[in-house]
Amino acid sequence: MAWSLAVIVASAALARVLFARRTLIQPQERADSLSEVRHADGVDLDSGAGLLHRLTRVDAARGWEVFATDDERLRRDLSYDADETLAPQVKAYPALPTLMLPRELPTTGMSATAALAGVSVASQPLDAYQLGRLLFLGAGVVRTSQRRGRTWFFRAAGSAGGRFPLEVYASTKGVDGVPDGVHWYDPVEHALRQVGPPATGEATTLVATGVPWRTGQKYAERGWRHLYWDAGTLTSQLVTTANSAGLDPRLRTLFPDREVGELVGVDGVHEFPLLLLSFGDRPPAVEPSGPSTRGVLPEIEFPLVTAAQHSGDRDFLGDPWPPGAPLPSVPDSEPLEQVVLRRGSQRRMIRSATMPREKLDWPMRAALRGIDVPHWVAVHGVDGVAPGVYRWPDLDTPVRTGDLRDLLIHVAMDQPLAGEAAYVAIAAIHSGNLDDRGYREAQLAAGMVEGRLHLAAYALGVTATGMTFYDSEVPGLLGQSDDLIGLLFSCVGVAEYRSTPGGGPGSPASVRVITPRLPDDE
Ligand SMILES: Cc1cc2nc3c(=O)[nH]c(=O)nc-3n(C[C@H](O)[C@H](O)[C@H](O)COP(=O)(O)O)c2cc1C
């Protein structure tokens, strides 16, 4: 690595002390930019989030198995992706007070593009209908498919590898038709199951949690990154849906982790909280007023993941993320609900097709509203933009030029979609700009950009898919130093087929999964 580890570790330790004092003694004001809430300490690659990142780094020269090193901090005693150890796709609970949410979703009539652009709209009351709409368009089961002798659930927002390792809880306050309390969202039945008494605090707040084994059963410890990617796609749909109903969503990633874990009844090992999303500017209802019921999960721990997660724990509530300025232009599109139900991950794109530049410009601007995690764009087939790599938003000065389709395929773990796309958005950040908590936030921000870019692409009649990559190849692709951490790729292109739209609450569409082309099919 091209930096002095000793300097970073020392400065990170000092900065952590300074930051801790600052945040504990100063009142928090709403930040103008995400960088103000990310804490530029430099992530330590020998502990916590940094160590997990380093040990789960995939090197092209060695392939996916690279992080199967003999480092004893990685678990190598598990059967990965074996039928007998597949985790349940949703959590199980003993009998709990249950409220079936209305299966009829209220419509707002707002176009997907207006909601993504942040156009303000009169506020709807947050009642059982609106809460159900939010939860369903973020986390509901919209499609199913039969594979390996079981029914697989596909949720409204995308998930790396289709593992859907997240749970969503609602801590409700004054929601008409829903008792105050802490409820687990059952995405299959579209129901709320009350796990705990009403919290202290005022604003109804959603808590998203991650279940490491559900993604780790395929991706091992690297799945910790996927929790935050997926939390990003979930958040993008929750926030956009809330915008469309004027619900004033407030995303927080700084919160007292242990307390919020207690609120929703999770143990901090097999499941832990990732983010809070509250509505309106009153204090979020997140302080537990009594014990919550714990659900049933497979008790399989990745100690490295537990350590990475807790290295970023905090004991105070931070500011919400900046919502980002509304976009001045709003192209026409279908209503948000229809775009969410049409959204899927496109498995095959038409490599020879190009798209107009506005299908790059507008989706990227909508996706990056309020987010300052650096992005690059690899352009293959956009009218008026020469093929090459650009540092967004500067599309006039390429970082490198030429037909990079084959290179992108290789960097994206030899997946042809990265060469079939018209462009590939790439989130990446220098490790010196992160600490353990900032690492989580950067992964989440990259997931949010993927989620919003995906919705914007579908709204404008093109298509998209999230994409992973060889960590070792990202700095070279973007012409950056080796300390650049690749976060996430999003491929946007012209569809080779149309996916079956998702169904409504309790009636998901049954689909046959289409597989991507293999490298040899090219
Ligand atoms: C963060 C993220 C990373 C993904 N990475 C890949 C990938 O590397 N290759 C791929 O073919 N699909 C990838 N996908 C697409 C998922 O496989 C897809 O979201 C999942 O199977 C659910 O299907 P759906 O999006 O159609 O609902 C990714 C999706 C997300 C959200």
Side-chain angles (χ1 to χ4, degrees):
M1 292 288 173
W3 63 79
S4 160
L5 203 55
V7 172
I8 289 193
V9 171
S11 61
L14 176 64
R16 254 191 288 277
V17 171
L18 294 176
F19 177 75
R21 284 181 61 81
R22 184 172 73 78
T23 50
L24 288 176
I25 60 177
Q26 287 189 358
Q28 303 252 319
E29 285 172 13
R30 205 148 187 220
D32 291 332
S33 124
L34 178 56
S35 57
E36 290 181 37
V37 292
R38 201 187 304 118
H39 339 304
D41 296 3
V43 73
D44 174 9
L45 296 175
D46 279 327
S47 70
L51 177 66
L52 183 140
H53 183 84
R54 183 164 66 75
L55 293 181
T56 61
R57 193 173 169 275
V58 183
D59 192 316
R62 287 178 287 174
W64 175 255
E65 290 306 315
V66 65
F67 70 91
T69 64
D70 52 10
D71 192 302
E72 62 192 21
R73 289 168 289 195
L74 294 164
R75 279 196 76 165
R76 288 294 159 259
D77 57 328
L78 298 166
S79 305
Y80 289 103
D81 215 19
D83 285 346
E84 56 282 4
T85 56
L86 280 181
Q89 297 170 80
V90 291
K91 220 173 154 184
Y93 281 96
L96 289 173
T98 296
L99 174 78
M100 298 304 288
L101 288 164
R103 292 198 164 182
E104 186 103 342
L105 297 184
T107 51
T108 63
M110 195 177 209
S111 69
T113 40
L116 285 161
V119 170
S120 65
V121 62
S123 168
Q124 308 276 330
L126 182 56
D127 56 13
Y129 286 89
Q130 287 295 345
L131 183 61
R133 174 176 183 266
L134 262 175
L135 291 166
F136 181 73
L137 295 178
V141 173
V142 296
R143 298 185 182 90
T144 59
S145 90
Q146 301 299 319
R147 205 159 36 98
R148 290 162 67 176
R150 66 174 2 204
T151 301
W152 294 77
F153 299 132
F154 288 80
R155 311 282 199 97
S159 160
R163 298 286 145 165
F164 300 103
L166 308 184
E167 302 288 349
V168 183
Y169 301 80
S171 171
T172 52
K173 284 280 170 156
V175 176
D176 196 17
V178 179
D180 284 358
V182 181
H183 310 264
W184 171 70
Y185 176 57
D186 179 338
V188 180
E189 298 297 331
H190 192 54
L192 292 176
R193 304 194 191 278
Q194 188 166 354
V195 296
T200 306
E202 294 175 34
T204 291
T205 300
L206 304 184
V207 180
T209 63
V211 178
W213 174 241
R214 219 183 279 157
T215 175
Q217 65 187 343
K218 184 165 181 197
Y219 299 108
E221 285 86 349
R222 201 176 198 252
W224 186 62
R225 305 188 199 179
H226 300 200
L227 295 180
Y228 284 95
W229 293 349
D230 288 3
T233 63
L234 167 72
T235 304
S236 70
Q237 292 193 192
L238 290 172
V239 166
T240 308
T241 305
N243 284 344
S244 73
L247 294 175
D248 191 9
R250 308 285 175 116
L251 169 66
R252 283 182 173 81
T253 49
L254 283 174
F255 52 82
D257 296 69
R258 196 175 50 75
E259 195 172 65
V260 172
E262 275 169 28
L263 175 81
V264 295
V266 303
D267 64 7
V269 172
H270 306 100
E271 182 181 359
F272 37 72
L274 307 176
L275 61 90
L276 307 178
L277 188 72
S278 52
F279 304 101
D281 63 359
R282 289 168 304 138
V286 292
E287 198 182 314
S289 68
S292 289
T293 305
R294 289 203 171 173
V296 182
L297 287 171
E299 300 221 333
I300 302 174
E301 178 184 2
F302 291 101
L304 192 68
V305 168
T306 309
Q309 177 67 18
H310 292 304
S311 67
D313 279 0
R314 297 287 185 268
D315 56 7
F316 61 89
L317 189 68
D319 287 336
W321 284 28
L327 297 185
S329 70
V330 182
D332 289 341
S333 81
E334 290 170 322
L336 176 65
E337 297 81 356
Q338 285 174 30
V339 171
V340 167
L341 291 181
R342 273 202 303 108
R343 188 214 66 81
S345 292
Q346 189 73 23
R347 299 311 185 177
R348 293 171 181 235
M349 299 178 187
I350 304 175
R351 185 174 159 130
S352 56
T354 63
M355 64 174 64
R357 179 173 169 160
E358 55 267 27
K359 300 203 181 198
L360 187 166
D361 278 333
W362 197 88
M364 283 296 290
R365 281 192 282 119
L368 277 141
R369 269 196 329 113
I371 289 182
D372 64 0
V373 165
H375 277 72
W376 285 257
V377 188
V379 174
H380 299 322
V382 177
D383 302 336
V385 185
V389 172
Y390 299 82
R391 170 73 163 85
W392 176 260
D394 181 359
L395 292 181
D396 296 323
T397 323
V399 175
R400 60 193 296 175
T401 52
D403 183 339
L404 302 174
R405 289 183 193 267
D406 289 342
L407 177 60
L408 259 291
I409 292 173
H410 172 60
V411 176
M413 288 194 180
D414 301 305
Q415 300 185 76
L417 266 171
E420 294 168 13
Y423 65 92
V424 181
I426 300 166
I429 191 164
H430 287 282
S431 63
N433 292 333
L434 299 173
D435 67 1
D436 289 313
R437 189 73 173 206
Y439 181 90
R440 297 187 195 178
E441 291 168 338
Q443 299 285 4
L444 177 90
M448 277 181 74
V449 171
E450 199 290 321
R452 295 201 291 208
L453 188 59
H454 213 123
L455 288 180
Y458 273 73
L460 298 191
V462 290
T463 188
T465 207
M467 184 129 294
T468 192
F469 49 85
Y470 289 126
D471 296 273
S472 59
E473 306 306 286
V474 178
L477 171 70
L478 305 178
Q480 297 289 306
S481 51
D482 277 352
D483 63 333
L484 189 81
I485 288 180
L487 296 168
L488 189 57
F489 287 22
S490 307
C491 305
V492 178
V494 176
E496 191 177 289
Y497 64 89
R498 279 176 75 88
S499 336
T500 309
S507 49
S510 169
V511 299
R512 186 177 59 87
V513 169
I514 294 172
T515 51
R517 258 182 280 277
L518 298 171
D520 296 344
D521 297 343
E522 291 277 83

